[in-house]
Amino acid sequence: MSALYDDVSEIMIPKERLDEICTQLGEKISEDYKDKKLILVGIMKGGLIFLSDLLRKITIPVEFGTVTASSYGQGTSSSGQVKILQDLDMEIRDKDIIIVEDLIDTGHTLKYLKEFFALRGPNSVKICCMLDKPSRREKQVQVDYIGMEIPDKFVVGYGMDFNEKYRNLADVCVLKEELYK
Ligand code: IMP
Ligand code: MG
């Protein structure tokens, strides 16, 4: 294993399991949206890997866009203040959009983004998250598609970072506590 894995205390979700989850979500979304004008909106940067995997498991016509949002700054907990660093470059009026995100934690980011997109007149806005930490929720947000619930541990890999590192780990991993405590 690479040196990156030296900073990891546990592989929480191996890449094979992540692939199975994407297959199941892709099948469900393909069925649910077969007569709709589907656009996946990936939240950068954390949602990048999940977006690209999910896109390739969808078997109906689909477009995608990205939005770069930040709610973190540096560290391991949300600031609660969401900033749009780069907006979507496409029209979503009358389209059916699914926001694709790596992880829902306090819920601040997705609550803000759902309202942000709803103002542009889409036909519908739903949310698909690979991971859910329900024990940490502060804002109620309906997540329509969930890959997996996880306990309250800080995870990296599969797009998720700690201070911009570890996004390239293929598995969802728990970071050694001494690296951020
Ligand atoms: P929320 O606004 O607290 O729901 O924060 C969600 C955002 O924080 C997501 O976009 C994640 O990228 C990030 N996040 C939350 N928990 C973790 C974690 O354990 N590891 C890495 N990023 C996380
Ligand atoms: Mg994120």
Side-chain angles (χ1 to χ4, degrees), residues 71-85:
S71 56
Y72 256 53
Q74 296 213 327
T76 60
S77 68
S78 178
S79 64
Q81 291 272 319
V82 183
K83 266 193 271 176
I84 303 293
L85 304 178

Side-chain angles (χ1 to χ4, degrees), residues 7-157:
D7 294 350
V8 156
S9 60
E10 174 197 338
I11 294 181
M12 185 188 273
I13 315 172
K15 56 183 181 296
E16 296 77 14
R17 179 75 192 115
L18 295 167
D19 185 67
E20 284 169 11
I21 293 171
C22 286
T23 302
Q24 287 161 4
L25 290 170
E27 281 171 4
K28 179 91 173 69
I29 289 170
S30 302
E31 181 60 30
D32 293 352
Y33 285 79
K34 57 178 182 258
D35 303 315
K36 305 223 161 101
K37 297 175 212 154
L38 176 60
I39 302 183
L40 297 190
V41 178
I43 310 306
M44 299 296 108
K45 300 173 199 174
L48 172 71
I49 311 288
F50 180 38
L51 173 69
S52 79
D53 280 353
L54 185 62
L55 272 172
R56 288 173 290 169
K57 304 289 190 179
I58 289 178
T59 54
I60 57 169
V62 58
E63 296 174 27
F64 82 92
T66 62
V67 166
T68 305
S70 155
S71 56
Y72 256 53
Q74 296 213 327
T76 60
S77 68
S78 178
S79 64
Q81 291 272 319
V82 183
K83 266 193 271 176
I84 303 293
L85 304 178
Q86 190 169 58
D87 203 348
L88 201 59
D89 66 354
M90 65 212 296
E91 181 61 49
I92 58 169
R93 181 165 299 280
D94 299 328
K95 303 283 177 72
D96 294 287
I97 78 166
I98 301 180
I99 301 172
V100 177
E101 173 65 308
D102 48 5
L103 193 155
I104 180 164
D105 188 33
T106 63
H108 285 281
T109 307
L110 280 170
K111 183 175 166 53
Y112 178 90
L113 288 172
K114 190 168 184 183
E115 286 163 8
F116 177 78
F117 292 123
L119 290 172
R120 297 181 181 176
N123 189 44
S124 63
V125 184
K126 296 211 168 177
I127 294 177
C128 177
C129 261
M130 174 50 95
L131 303 177
D132 182 8
K133 281 188 203 169
S135 61
R136 300 245 316 163
R137 203 75 88 250
E138 292 171 9
K139 294 277 180 192
Q140 282 316 309
V141 197
Q142 185 180 330
V143 183
D144 306 279
Y145 302 94
I146 295 176
M148 198 169 155
E149 284 189 8
I150 61 167
D152 180 17
K153 291 185 179 177
F154 192 77
V155 291
V156 292

